[in-house]
Amino acid sequence: MGFPNDFLWGGSISAAQVEGGWNEGGRSPVQIDYAASSPANKLRMIHYRNADGSRGTVPVFSHIPKGATYELFDDIHYTNHVASDFYHHYKDDIAMFAEMGFTTFNTSISWARIYPYGVEGGVNQEGVEFYHNVFKECQKYNIDPVITLYKYDEPVYFEQKFGAWQSRQMIDEFVAFASLCFEEYKEYVNKWMTFNEINIGLMCRSFHNISHTTQVQEKYTEIHYQIVAAARCVKIAHEMDRNIQVGCMVAGYCVYPLTSDPKDVMLSYKTFQDNFAYCGDAMMRGEYPTFSKRMWEEDHITLDISQQDQIDMLEGKADFLGFSYYMSSCMTTHDEGEKGNGNMMMGTKNPYLKYSDWGWAMDPTGFKYFLHVLNDRYNKPLFDVENGLGAYDQVTSEDQIHDSYRIDYLRDHIQAMKEAVEEGVDLFGYTTWGCIDLVSASTGQNDKRYGFIYVDMNDKGEGSLKRLKKDSFYWYKKVIASNGEDLD
Ligand code: BG6
């Protein structure tokens, strides 16, 4: 009973949200470098300059208009530029992860540090060295990392050159980047994930208010090219060494019908198909599911799927399913229920659940349910890459942070996960999101904190970047030491 002895415990962060050093070490800019932060559940915007000299904004993950240019403005504080400054603090930070007993660690490699201007611009050796140093630190403490290749941070160079993921050319660029990483870091890393939350473009439609056919078409096109690129990476990695495991990563959440009206039940299942299983199936089963046809018709989509794409997808099925889980949501066809927010999506509030300061439902039972759904559907190893509570933390005059709310959230979720594992779910690891405080993806805030380690930096850019251990730091250390038995 309990977790298997080799279960991986750790934490997860991402390059653009934690590193800072945005213009150091030969890194080129990525879109998020131009994003302002926003208050809870308001859209985070990119500010740019129009050809006529006026300023404009678009939500993050959208394209700026033709003829417009990315520009930094003095009246905006760009939180991702410094973030938590992991770029300069990584040795101390990894030492603290080791002190908690991490046996794994997930971060992403910044594409813009490795190939700042695409293959054409050549490899940036300083960037390559940076990750050598990061992985060497992990090895020093016997931390077995699981590394993500792409987390929303391709160089803006690609957008300017050929429209980034709207072009098939991006597949070759990504495969070149991934192949370099597999080869370069094979001494330290044998578990990889290709695209973080590859489904987010479809999932965030309600949150980002994307309904125009052109925008929806763009999301599908981007996802298709990413699915093909991922499949080709799996094949290449296996050809290099069959022991390299390459998983996919899909944003997960549990969807319930708000009422027992069969129409609500159908709608909630359809939401699961559209938001999760469309991408999950394509990557885990190697082909688009039968219901894709219904989605393409409903959304008036045509996709450039070649015969070779289909062969690559079948031959490059992911070795494991990585996923995030923070919350659940309800769907209804009725005009009732309070509107709720969530991880880049909207839904209806569940009267049986409590909500975080950012309006995300806290639902450990949903986590257990979701683990079973994934296990039954894919029958392949699972890895929970992200789970955690974003909250405001208070530092006492003795530099302590009493984050009992975070401990409560994580305890309940680990307990649910343990039950699922005991009931047969094949889960090989768990990394909590934002194990050290970092910049929020949806709002760009520093003050939305997930970490066991507090970073002294606020939304306005005020702070010393000093690290402090929260109460949850000592609690998680006990959890790991007891392999998930001691949750008190
Ligand atoms: C996940 C993303 O969806 O949610 C992370 O992969 C993100 O990058 C996390 O940070 C939490 O969301 P947020 O908006 O609170 O940062």
Side-chain angles (χ1 to χ4, degrees), residues 14 17 151-152 196-197 200 249 251 324 326 343-344 360 386 433 438-443 448 450:
S14 83
Q17 291 174 264
K151 188 142 180 174
Y152 326 131
N196 182 72
E197 297 189 335
I200 206 83
M249 201 299 202
S324 54
Y326 292 88
N343 190 7
M344 303 272 188
W360 297 21
E386 293 186 29
W433 173 244
L438 38 64
V439 176
S440 154
S442 58
T443 65
K448 184 178 189 185
Y450 285 87

Side-chain angles (χ1 to χ4, degrees), residues 449-469:
R449 297 171 184 277
Y450 285 87
F452 302 116
I453 300 165
Y454 183 92
V455 177
D456 180 29
M457 178 54 64
N458 69 16
D459 292 348
K460 296 184 202 130
E462 301 157 345
S464 63
L465 292 167
K466 182 169 74 172
R467 274 61 173 151
L468 298 171
K469 296 172 190 167

Side-chain angles (χ1 to χ4, degrees), residues 261-424:
D261 180 346
K263 290 202 172 68
D264 282 9
V265 178
M266 191 62 235
L267 179 63
S268 66
Y269 190 67
K270 181 175 175 287
T271 307
F272 167 73
Q273 289 180 321
D274 295 4
N275 285 356
F276 190 93
Y278 174 78
C279 290
D281 290 8
M283 304 187 83
M284 298 300 291
R285 295 173 167 171
E287 57 189 355
Y288 284 111
T290 44
F291 60 80
S292 309
K293 204 161 163 280
R294 189 256 310 148
M295 289 173 66
W296 297 330
E297 275 170 14
E298 269 175 12
D299 286 327
H300 311 289
I301 295 304
T302 44
L303 275 183
D304 162 31
I305 306 177
S306 70
Q307 215 180 347
Q308 188 58 46
D309 290 350
Q310 290 170 331
I311 296 170
D312 287 339
M313 284 168 67
L314 265 179
E315 291 178 352
K317 287 184 237 175
D319 293 317
F320 63 89
L321 173 63
F323 62 94
S324 54
Y325 176 89
Y326 292 88
M327 41 153 286
S328 61
S329 182
C330 294
M331 299 304 294
T332 183
T333 54
H334 297 267
D335 191 16
E336 59 185 71
E338 197 188 331
K339 288 283 159 247
N341 289 301
N343 190 7
M344 303 272 188
M345 43 73 61
M346 316 285 278
T348 305
K349 277 197 165 176
N350 188 329
Y352 297 96
L353 296 176
K354 292 200 177 110
Y355 283 78
S356 77
D357 291 342
W358 274 262
W360 297 21
M362 297 188 268
D363 184 7
T365 306
F367 187 29
K368 179 174 170 182
Y369 175 90
F370 192 62
L371 282 163
H372 276 289
V373 169
L374 299 186
N375 195 60
D376 296 346
R377 189 174 185 98
Y378 298 114
N379 203 22
K380 273 207 186 161
L382 305 176
F383 179 56
D384 178 25
V385 193
E386 293 186 29
N387 173 240
L389 178 73
Y392 291 108
D393 289 335
Q394 294 300 327
V395 183
T396 68
S397 49
E398 288 85 36
D399 272 355
Q400 293 179 336
I401 298 107
H402 302 306
D403 56 342
S404 54
Y405 36 89
R406 183 167 293 109
I407 295 174
D408 290 344
Y409 176 98
L410 291 171
R411 177 192 297 116
D412 293 348
H413 284 75
I414 293 174
Q415 178 60 39
M417 174 169 81
K418 188 172 166 198
E419 288 166 17
V421 167
E422 287 173 344
E423 289 165 18

